[in-house]
Amino acid sequence: MTYASNSTANTAPHSNNAALRGESPYQQRTTERENPAQQLIKQAVEFLLQQLEAGKSETLTAYLAAMARFHNYSFGNILAIARQRPTATRVAGIRTWNELGRFVKRGEKGIQILAPIIGHRRRKNAANEEQDADSQAKPAPVLIGFRAVYVFDVSQTEGMDLPEFEHNIGGEVGAHRDRLIAFLNAQGIKLEFNEKIAPALGVSYGGRIALLPGQSKAEEFTTLVHETAHELLHKTERRTMTTATVRETEAEAVAFIVGQAVGLEMGTASSDYIQMYAGNAALLTESLEVIQRTSAVILGAILSEDAASERNSLAEVA
């Protein structure tokens, strides 16, 4: 619940927590027949486990960095991009690159992701057809499957220069701090500054966040993101299924993703992350999924409309 400079402090008031135990809902879901999206996620997480067990912790950093760069993408596609091209920064399909005045270089191999196939539910009988005609209601769209599509990183293309995104701000927090505070206000979460929480830099109480005064702007921002992650992730039923170490690391990962997305220098992700899961791919997948989802919510709230529209121009088309 706390965020300290060495990322290990645990002075928040919520200290009596049940250890991670039992089978998670994610484990139960994945015992069923897996669709292509679930298979994609499973393969990516198994690859991550293999890399980390081989001592290649930079693979985890690449996965978290991909969540920062591609938060408009689905969880499975983010993992697929990170696995196939860890250095990718901006990806799009050939048509989108061509519209932006750039063209894929000869011999470049595309990054395979999944795109949903959307159909419409068929009417069961003539009576329903007459009813639909009277109400002029359109058939409801329904997901009928997935298809493989290919995107390319900007480094695989050449042509016109692209405009820099607004969040490339060289370590300056800018207006993102104010937007994050506005987001907290909208969620009914109070923010205060209190010297008594030292040595912790921040504390999440559930509906209230306390920050230690005197931090640099960048440090204060990442601390606030860390504690916001606790508010969104660990004040619910999920709290009883996780250890304090898991909660701290999940919040740290969200802070890493959001900080990197807005242009802060975040260093590298912790190589100890995988050790919490003892090789349990299902639990690791569940944790990464909630990290991605939470960071996407925060980024959606703090990125300006102009920056968001720029990012959407390179995002996948459903």
Side-chain angles (χ1 to χ4, degrees):
M1 303 304 156
T2 63
Y3 183 67
S5 56
N6 61 4
S7 300
T8 59
N10 186 26
T11 59
H14 310 291
S15 58
N16 298 322
N17 299 300
L20 188 61
R21 61 183 182 274
E23 196 175 62
S24 75
Y26 189 91
Q27 286 175 298
Q28 295 169 359
R29 289 200 303 273
T30 53
T31 58
E32 302 171 359
R33 184 176 180 180
E34 295 173 339
N35 62 35
Q38 289 172 325
Q39 292 175 0
L40 186 72
I41 293 170
K42 182 178 179 180
Q43 292 169 0
V45 173
E46 287 177 348
F47 176 75
L48 173 60
L49 284 169
Q50 294 169 1
Q51 293 292 296
L52 290 171
E53 288 171 356
K56 299 179 180 179
S57 60
E58 65 273 11
T59 305
L60 172 60
T61 303
Y63 275 38
L64 297 182
M67 291 181 188
R69 299 181 189 122
F70 308 116
H71 67 272
N72 288 321
Y73 280 67
S74 69
F75 176 60
N77 281 340
I78 290 172
L79 297 186
I81 294 169
R83 177 185 176 184
Q84 296 171 72
R85 198 172 186 90
T87 58
T89 57
R90 306 180 192 180
V91 299
I94 289 179
R95 183 177 300 177
T96 299
W97 282 127
N98 292 348
E99 291 175 352
L100 294 171
R102 297 188 68 84
F103 303 90
V104 176
K105 300 174 185 176
R106 184 182 298 274
E108 290 289 346
K109 182 179 179 181
I111 304 166
Q112 182 177 306
I113 62 174
L114 293 177
I117 302 173
I118 305 298
H120 293 89
R121 193 180 302 278
R122 294 181 178 179
R123 301 181 180 89
K124 293 183 178 180
N125 52 49
N128 287 342
E129 290 182 7
E130 292 177 2
Q131 184 178 358
D132 288 343
D134 291 339
S135 63
Q136 295 183 348
K138 296 181 179 180
V142 59
L143 176 66
I144 60 176
F146 296 87
R147 61 187 177 90
V149 298
Y150 291 88
V151 294
F152 296 85
D153 181 50
V154 63
S155 64
Q156 298 176 279
T157 67
E158 55 190 2
M160 294 178 59
D161 292 336
L162 293 175
E164 289 297 317
F165 293 154
E166 181 182 311
H167 63 261
N168 289 341
I169 49 180
E172 294 295 328
V173 173
H176 297 107
R177 176 185 182 276
D178 293 338
R179 294 187 190 123
L180 181 55
I181 293 175
F183 170 73
L184 291 173
N185 290 335
Q187 302 298 313
I189 300 171
K190 296 180 180 179
L191 175 63
E192 64 182 38
F193 292 85
N194 190 339
E195 295 180 351
K196 294 181 180 180
I197 67 171
L201 301 182
V203 181
S204 164
Y205 293 96
R208 178 168 62 94
I209 291 173
L211 296 181
L212 184 70
Q215 301 179 56
S216 68
K217 291 183 178 180
E219 188 174 40
E220 180 191 87
F221 177 79
T222 53
T223 301
L224 186 55
V225 173
H226 180 106
E227 301 306 332
T228 300
H230 278 312
E231 292 288 323
L232 299 180
L233 275 174
H234 305 133
K235 306 304 178 183
T236 62
E237 208 173 285
R238 176 174 172 76
R239 175 181 175 77
T240 62
M241 300 175 62
T242 55
T243 64
T245 302
V246 169
R247 289 191 295 276
E248 286 303 309
T249 310
E250 287 179 345
E252 181 80 349
V254 171
F256 175 89
I257 292 167
V258 174
Q260 187 167 86
V262 302
L264 299 180
E265 294 294 331
M266 299 302 296
T268 59
S270 172
S271 60
D272 295 333
Y273 182 70
I274 190 61
Q275 296 178 11
M276 297 183 297
Y277 299 94
N280 189 321
L283 292 179
L284 174 60
T285 302
E286 181 182 14
S287 184
L288 286 173
E289 191 169 6
V290 296
I291 287 168
Q292 184 269 326
R293 187 165 59 246
T294 303
S295 59
V297 168
I298 296 174
L299 286 171
I302 67 174
L303 291 179
S304 69
E305 293 182 2
D306 291 341
S309 64
E310 279 190 293
R311 293 176 73 90
N312 287 336
S313 69
L314 296 181
E316 61 188 335
V317 178

